[in-house]
Amino acid sequence: MKSSKHGTPGGGERAPMSVGVLAERFGLAAHVLRHWEARGLLTPARDAAGRRRYGRADLTRVAVILRAKEAGLSLDSIRALVTTGDPAGRADILREEAEVLRSRIAAAQASLGLIECALGCDHEDFARCAHFQRVVAERTGTGAVVRRPLRPRALDV
């Protein structure tokens, strides 16, 4: 029977992997895995010489960490999620993260709206646009808006 580089004959449970092999599998630098270990996200077994040995559960954990990072979660939040055994605690963490994500989405949508408005503006310099000046005045709290004759714009509704 053939044996894969990291497996057992017949395709059964994988043999433990080194930090380099696991990092390569996910396209990461080995120091990233060491950092995650220092932060309490990973707890690899050690061999007799003290070298890290990653098993199937670690492989899954790395995939979970990467997916959570893609979702925008911090390493602290990820650690809390993967280390708590309390389903209610996990739900609380996820609710908080969902609220943070909703806020980021709203900010991104507002930014996109401003950029689209600038792209659709008839002024050569969008900073001269009354709408843009109104947004800036609201942000600065000055309320001072330079009044210029308004020209109709495609995005004003």
Side-chain angles (χ1 to χ4, degrees):
M1 282 188 193
K2 285 193 171 186
S3 174
S4 71
K5 182 177 178 183
H6 308 292
T8 57
E13 185 66 26
R14 292 188 164 277
M17 293 175 270
S18 69
V19 67
V21 170
L22 183 62
E24 182 181 328
R25 185 170 179 136
F26 286 98
L28 300 169
H31 72 85
V32 171
L33 297 177
R34 291 185 198 102
H35 175 68
W36 290 352
E37 181 183 355
R39 297 289 303 266
L41 292 156
L42 293 171
T43 53
R46 302 282 179 152
D47 65 13
R51 292 179 299 243
R52 293 167 178 85
R53 292 294 174 218
Y54 296 90
R56 191 171 220 45
D58 298 306
L59 187 72
T60 300
R61 175 69 62 94
V62 170
V64 168
I65 293 167
L66 288 171
R67 184 61 190 104
K69 284 178 58 60
E70 290 168 2
L73 276 68
S74 69
L75 290 180
D76 289 336
S77 293
I78 297 168
R79 182 183 61 241
L81 281 171
V82 299
T83 60
T84 185
D86 175 29
R90 277 193 300 272
D92 289 342
I93 293 166
L94 291 172
R95 274 191 281 280
E96 289 174 26
E97 290 295 332
E99 188 54 40
V100 167
L101 188 55
R102 283 186 200 95
S103 294
R104 287 187 4 227
I105 290 169
Q109 287 174 329
S111 295
L112 180 60
L114 185 62
I115 289 169
E116 287 175 338
C117 181
L119 286 171
C121 184
D122 291 335
H123 292 87
E124 285 185 29
D125 177 4
F126 68 85
R128 297 180 54 104
C129 175
H131 180 258
F132 179 81
Q133 291 175 355
R134 207 170 27 255
V135 170
V136 170
E138 289 171 7
R139 173 58 66 97
T140 61
T142 62
V145 177
V146 177
R147 302 283 179 207
R148 299 198 193 307
L150 292 176
R151 290 188 268 172
R153 294 186 345 215
L155 294 177
D156 279 342
V157 180

